[in-house]
Structures are given as structure tokens and as C-alpha cells.
Amino acid sequence: MVLSERIGRMNESLTLAMTQKARELQASGRQVLSFSAGEPDFDTPLVVREAAIAAINGGFNKYTAVQGTEELREAIAAKLKRDNNLIYPTKNIVVGTGAKHSLFCLFEALISDGDEVIVPTPAWVSYPELVSYCGGKSVLVQTKAENNFKMTASELKAALTARTKLLIINSPSNPTGSVYSREELAALGEVLKGTSVLVISDEIYEKLIYGVPFCATASVSEDLFKRTITVNGLSKSVAMTGWRMGYFAAADEQIAKAVTKLQSQSTTNTCSIVQKAAIPALDGRADDEIETMRKRFELRRDLALELLADAPLLKPIVPQGAFYLFISCKAIEPDSMRFCLRLLEEAGVATVPGVGFACEGYFRMSFATNEENIKLGLAKIAEFANGYK
Ligand SMILES: Cc1ncc(COP(=O)(O)O)c(C=O)c1O
């Protein structure tokens, strides 16, 4: 066998597969409106770009500390204190090449063969794939639409076993946009009391939130602070998907050391220039531009929801955060893959089937695209859905 058993356990991302299929159709001359990828269409804020240029011209071209420069980790620690009321020493913070890389390294460092990882679904495609690659077993907990797809304390209790190592919380969520309140997180925290379960809280959509407060899991109680690893990054909120910078902070320094060891033998440091550029993205200097983008996303969310009313059989979850609509297509087609493939081939609109998020009967549509595309795309979706046979 050429390939390892390990790599065979991982499936390709459905999001990327749909984006690829849309590209192929486009290459063959078809007009395709794409709502499949999860990235802002905005430019990176000017202060960030200027900091990168200054770093290049200033000769900041050498290896840095594997964990990230002290200056950057200080900026992250200050951000966590200011925004989330979390106090971490810089030695407990590790910078990675995107939040996805930080998550991958954390799974590698924490999961032993057969360990169980509780993943409330619908969930971002990469969690279960990374968990199985690292030898773990994802325990998918199907949450309910009537609870806005948030896991309840009793659902968590029922999923816990002696092998549970980790719980993943993603708030605001990809794909549903649901946001856990402090009370909901506290209730989950109560269930974990007295166990050795760690929590990975993926807070990458923290800044993209509409009308509700954001609550960092680690800020809820002393017990949750100790067991939670806070993961965040700049890709989504600062329009920096291509720059590749993410980070985590853990109360237990051992975890930071283990991931630093792994990174030292694999990626070494995140790009030195990006580390310099990240500082104004974290210290408040880009806040006005970040807020302008958030407001545009909120307007787009409202526009998309308003236009979707023209397809009464499609029922969205109203997202309180992130930049996706997660829409039920059950009333016309329970098979989400079939729905999305037909939508792409017949109407030229690319979305992602719910099955890729472990949730049949739904599809995800990103609204991180301009208003014109949203209007055109939703008119096509409504026409397609209303005439579906
Ligand atoms: C929930 C979630 N976490 C993490 C990431 C990865 O972000 P990054 O670009 O920082 O690797 C994504 C990107 O799609 C995401 O949706």
C-alpha cells in the first residue's frame, strides 16, 4: 500500500469539493454563483497591510520563536484580557498557521488511540476528520433545531463515557451561526465538573456577532477556565484567511509546551511577517474596520433572510453570528447532497450540503459575498426551490 492507514481515515472537505465543482462548471463556460466558501470578500484592514510592509522592508525575515514572538503573544494576552476577561501568561499561548493548524496540533498532542471526542452536530467539517486522523473517535451528538442547534446539558451528559477526552464547542457556530449564552455554557460546565474532560472552544467567529453578547467558554467559571483551551484567529473577523495565523491559550502550560514541541519538529514558526501584521489586528487599531465589516455582514444576513422568504418551503435557522445561513430543505428534498448538486447543475448556485456537517436535510449558504450576488443567488434559489420536482 502506498498510502498510510492514517491518511485513509481522513475524508476530503466537502466544502472544498463543492468549491472545486463550481470552478469546473465555471471553466466550462457556465455562470456560477458561489456561496460555498467561508471567507470574507473584503480587503485586509490598511493598518495590518502597512505593518506587513514595514516588517518586510524592516528586514524581519528570520525564524522567530516557535510559539510566536513574545511581542505577538503579549498582544494576544492583552486581547484575551480586554475582550474576554481571561488572563493567560504568554508562555501558555501558542501561535499557529491558522486556527485549523492550532486545532490539528492540539488534537495530535491530546488524543490517544480510542479517546472519545464529543462533537455537537451540525459541526464544522474538519473536527471529525482531524479527530479520526489523530486516532480519536468522534462522538457526534445531534443537537435539535428547536434548541437552535445548541447542545443541552442532558445531551452532553448522555454522551459522556469513561473514554471521553474532549468536548468541542464552536460559538458562534459554523454552520448554524448559533451562539451559546453564558447560562448555556455554565450548564454544560456543570456536567463536566468532577471529570477530566477538556474543552476546546473554537471562537474564530467571536467578532462576527449580531445583537447578542459573545461569551468565551473559559470565562464562565474557574472550573471551565482550567479545562478549556481557547482557540481563535484572524481569518474570519479581520479578513485574513490567506495570511494564516491562529492561536490558542491553555490554562495548563503542559499543553502549550507539547504543541510547541510538535510545531518545532514540523512547521517551526508562523510566517514572521504575518506575526508583525497580526499585532494591529489584535491591539484595537483595526477595530473600526473590523466593525465596518461586521455591520456589512449583518446587513447581508438580513437581506438574505428577507429574500429567502420568497422560497417558503426553505426554512433557515436565524444566525446570531458567523456568516452562514443553515437552511432546511427537508420539505422539498431530504437528501441534502442531491439538493445541492441539482441546485448547482440546474440553477448555477453553489452551496454546501448539510450531510457534510453531519446534519441531513439542510444546506449551508455563506453570505460573505456582495449584495448583488446575494440578490441574484437568492432569486435563483427561490425559483429552483419553488419549482422543485
Ligand atoms: C469553525 C471554524 N474553525 C476554524 C476555522 C479555520 O480557520 P483558519 O483560517 O484560522 O485556519 C474555520 C474555517 O473555516 C472554521 O469555520
Side-chain angles (χ1 to χ4, degrees):
M1 226 194 337
V2 177
L3 302 177
S4 72
E5 181 270 329
R6 212 165 51 252
I7 196 70
R9 283 186 238 141
M10 190 186 257
N11 295 304
E12 205 189 303
S13 148
L14 254 191
T15 317
L16 296 182
M18 286 302 283
T19 309
Q20 179 58 27
K21 189 144 184 77
R23 275 204 199 107
E24 282 164 24
L25 277 182
Q26 269 163 338
S28 73
R30 281 280 303 278
Q31 199 216 1
V32 175
L33 293 166
S34 185
F35 300 97
S36 53
E39 67 178 339
D41 55 326
F42 300 118
D43 225 342
T44 303
L46 184 62
V47 271
V48 176
R49 287 182 273 139
E50 282 175 349
I53 291 163
I56 293 170
N57 292 334
F60 196 66
N61 58 325
K62 306 288 194 298
Y63 290 128
T64 72
V66 169
Q67 250 184 294
T69 62
E70 184 63 28
E71 181 191 24
L72 174 55
R73 282 178 294 122
E74 271 167 16
I76 294 169
K79 179 261 170 235
L80 289 166
K81 182 161 185 288
R82 188 188 65 223
D83 293 351
N84 312 115
N85 201 23
L86 293 172
I87 297 177
Y88 291 102
T90 54
K91 62 182 170 35
N92 293 37
I93 296 171
V94 182
V95 177
T97 309
K100 193 187 261 180
H101 178 236
S102 296
L103 286 162
F104 174 68
C105 293
L106 283 165
F107 291 145
E108 280 285 33
L110 295 171
I111 296 174
S112 300
D113 282 352
D115 279 352
E116 291 178 0
V117 178
I118 298 179
V119 183
T121 63
W124 181 44
V125 283
S126 296
Y127 302 131
E129 300 303 337
L130 292 175
V131 167
S132 23
Y133 178 82
C134 295
K137 183 175 161 246
S138 292
V139 175
L140 304 180
V141 176
Q142 182 65 59
T143 60
K144 297 195 178 69
E146 62 261 35
N147 298 329
N148 263 326
F149 286 121
K150 288 185 269 188
M151 190 170 61
T152 62
S154 55
E155 285 165 345
L156 172 59
K157 208 170 190 172
L160 278 181
T161 74
R163 296 240 52 175
T164 308
K165 177 72 192 253
L166 286 169
L167 161 67
I168 296 176
I169 293 180
N170 173 215
S171 173
S173 148
N174 173 9
T176 64
S178 296
V179 177
Y180 282 83
S181 68
R182 181 169 289 275
E183 293 69 33
E184 287 160 344
L185 292 170
L188 298 179
E190 279 303 311
V191 176
L192 298 182
K193 265 199 184 142
T195 70
S196 57
V197 176
L198 297 172
V199 179
I200 291 193
S201 185
D202 180 346
E203 300 177 0
I204 189 108
Y205 294 98
E206 171 192 7
K207 301 277 178 190
L208 301 175
I209 194 153
Y210 316 116
V212 292
F214 170 77
C215 180
T217 307
S219 73
V220 170
S221 67
E222 190 53 32
D223 186 73
L224 272 172
F225 177 73
K226 285 193 189 129
R227 63 176 78 244
T228 299
I229 302 152
T230 303
V231 177
N232 209 326
L234 305 175
S235 288
K236 313 286 179 174
S237 54
V238 200
M240 290 180 71
T241 42
W243 295 66
R244 310 312 299 133
M245 143 56 183
Y247 59 88
F248 75 83
D252 183 349
E253 194 195 343
Q254 268 190 90
I255 298 175
K257 277 193 170 153
V259 169
T260 304
K261 180 167 75 174
L262 177 60
Q263 291 187 182
S264 77
Q265 298 292 14
S266 50
T267 48
T268 312
N269 58 270
T270 304
C271 168
S272 58
I273 305 304
V274 173
Q275 291 191 57
K276 279 282 190 199
I279 291 168
L282 289 157
D283 69 8
R285 277 180 280 162
D287 279 6
D288 286 351
E289 285 193 63
I290 292 172
E291 177 57 11
T292 304
M293 292 190 269
R294 190 201 66 77
K295 282 197 183 126
R296 277 288 285 283
F297 284 130
E298 188 164 15
L299 287 176
R300 289 166 176 187
R301 176 196 70 154
D302 294 345
L303 174 68
L305 285 170
E306 188 190 315
L307 294 172
L308 196 64
D310 292 337
L313 292 175
L314 297 179
K315 300 253 185 284
I317 298 291
V318 176
Q320 297 172 314
F323 40 54
Y324 310 102
L325 291 188
F326 199 55
I327 306 167
S328 169
C329 53
K330 277 183 203 160
I332 50 176
E333 174 59 75
D335 181 336
S336 62
M337 182 57 108
R338 188 173 144 79
F339 179 86
C340 289
L341 281 175
R342 282 192 57 187
L343 180 62
L344 179 57
E345 276 154 19
E346 295 169 32
V349 175
T351 55
V352 188
V355 67
F357 306 96
C359 187
E360 254 309 0
Y362 285 78
F363 67 102
R364 189 194 77 176
M365 175 194 167
S366 160
F367 53 84
T369 180
N370 66 52
E371 288 77 355
E372 201 47 42
N373 272 347
I374 292 176
K375 283 183 195 155
L376 284 172
L378 276 158
K380 283 178 186 257
I381 289 175
E383 192 189 350
F384 173 77
N386 294 338
Y388 199 87
K389 281 187 210 71

